[in-house]
Amino acid sequence: MSYNIRHGEGIDTILDLSRSVQIIKSYAPDLCALQEVDNFCFRSDSIGQTEYFAQKTLMTGTFGRFMKFQGGEYGMATLSNKPLISTNVLQLPDGKHEPRTSIVHEVQISLKHTIIFANVHFDWISGEEGDLNRLSQAKALTEYLNTLHKAVIITGDFNCTPNSKTMKYFEEEGFIFVEKGADNLSFQGENKVEIDHLIYRNTDSVKFKTKSVKLIKEPVISDHRPLIAELEVLFH
């Protein structure tokens, strides 16, 4: 699952993390990538949102900081129901206005196999500069992932459409794009666009197969829709 939670503030301007929690609990994902997460920031009542989500969903929570913000920190978080072998909050090239990281976990999915799960939230600015920033961030992440020699899932708010330079780069690097079908507009702002994605790359020993994917019709809790993908894992 991937969900940009907008630090818990809905389109209705109500700050209520419990609504996002209910969405996550209702779909019970093994792995959940959250973007726009606050850690003890004034605007979100100075609570540790990652710990809140982890406690309410009974999952393991990991926070990845982008920057100091409003008395706390702003970044992203990953929730896991699977054992985590390792965690790296990987520093990526900065965006125009904000630093960026990716939370990269090695996850135990069977007695003999692990995979890599990477949570991303690339630079949000538009235009050519934004395109170059996102591509730079994608390249830095991929260069690191290439050293791990594992099957990989990357999901999150890529802030770019499927035909962008960034997504074409991932395709060149062997990643498979999970198609959402006709109902594919994940961002619910003034201009509705498809910018939340899930991609994966197989190895000889571990291969993913898409069983289902959908964007949840939830128009109020955030300006992004939750993305749910069910993948079958094949071992060789």
Side-chain angles (χ1 to χ4, degrees):
M1 180 176 185
S2 177
Y3 197 5
N4 183 322
I5 64 166
R6 201 176 184 235
H7 67 272
E9 183 179 342
I11 301 299
D12 55 5
T13 72
I14 294 174
L15 179 68
D16 185 358
L17 285 180
S18 70
R19 299 189 294 187
S20 301
V21 166
Q22 286 306 119
I23 290 285
I24 297 169
K25 289 176 68 174
S26 66
Y27 288 93
D30 290 317
L31 296 161
C32 180
L34 302 176
Q35 301 86 44
E36 293 195 24
V37 177
D38 283 354
N39 194 37
F40 302 104
C41 297
F42 298 139
R43 69 176 177 180
S44 50
D45 295 337
S46 297
I47 70 167
Q49 293 190 337
T50 304
E51 290 81 359
Y52 177 88
F53 277 104
Q55 291 173 3
K56 296 296 184 181
T57 62
L58 302 180
M59 300 173 76
T60 300
T62 303
F63 178 72
R65 185 180 90 168
F66 289 169
M67 61 188 184
K68 294 181 179 178
F69 183 71
Q70 289 197 359
E73 301 169 310
Y74 170 71
M76 62 200 314
T78 299
L79 304 173
S80 178
N81 265 329
K82 297 291 185 182
L84 301 178
I85 304 304
S86 67
T87 298
N88 184 10
V89 179
L90 181 69
Q91 192 68 45
L92 300 179
D94 290 347
K96 181 175 182 179
H97 301 296
E98 300 172 354
R100 281 293 185 262
T101 59
S102 173
I103 305 175
V104 182
H105 287 304
E106 182 178 359
V107 184
Q108 192 85 46
I109 59 169
S110 75
L111 289 175
K112 296 182 179 180
H113 297 90
T114 62
I115 63 167
I116 302 300
F117 184 77
N119 180 1
V120 298
H121 185 191
F122 292 150
D123 193 20
W124 55 267
I125 67 168
S126 60
E128 184 177 355
E129 184 178 4
D131 290 341
L132 291 174
N133 290 345
R134 285 183 286 276
L135 182 58
S136 177
Q137 290 162 0
K139 287 182 175 180
L141 174 60
T142 303
E143 287 171 6
Y144 172 70
L145 296 176
N146 288 345
T147 69
L148 303 180
H149 307 292
K150 296 280 185 180
V152 179
I153 297 169
I154 307 175
T155 192
D157 180 356
F158 289 67
N159 269 315
C160 55
T161 58
N163 61 353
S164 64
K165 293 179 181 178
T166 296
M167 302 312 294
K168 289 180 179 177
Y169 166 76
F170 279 123
E171 183 180 1
E172 293 167 359
E173 288 293 312
F175 285 91
I176 297 169
F177 182 87
V178 174
E179 300 280 354
K180 305 176 190 68
D183 184 18
N184 59 5
L185 303 181
S186 60
F187 179 69
Q188 304 180 106
E190 184 176 347
N191 297 313
K192 293 179 171 57
V193 290
E194 182 185 4
I195 58 176
D196 300 85
H197 309 300
L198 186 143
I199 61 176
Y200 61 78
R201 187 170 65 184
N202 298 320
T203 63
D204 290 339
S205 58
V206 178
K207 299 184 185 301
F208 300 110
K209 180 181 179 182
T210 305
K211 294 189 70 176
S212 67
V213 60
K214 60 182 174 181
L215 287 164
I216 307 307
K217 293 186 183 298
E218 178 41 69
V220 176
I221 295 175
S222 172
D223 54 0
H224 288 250
R225 298 166 65 187
L227 172 63
I228 309 290
E230 183 181 5
L231 303 180
E232 182 179 3
V233 187
L234 305 173
F235 304 120
H236 297 275

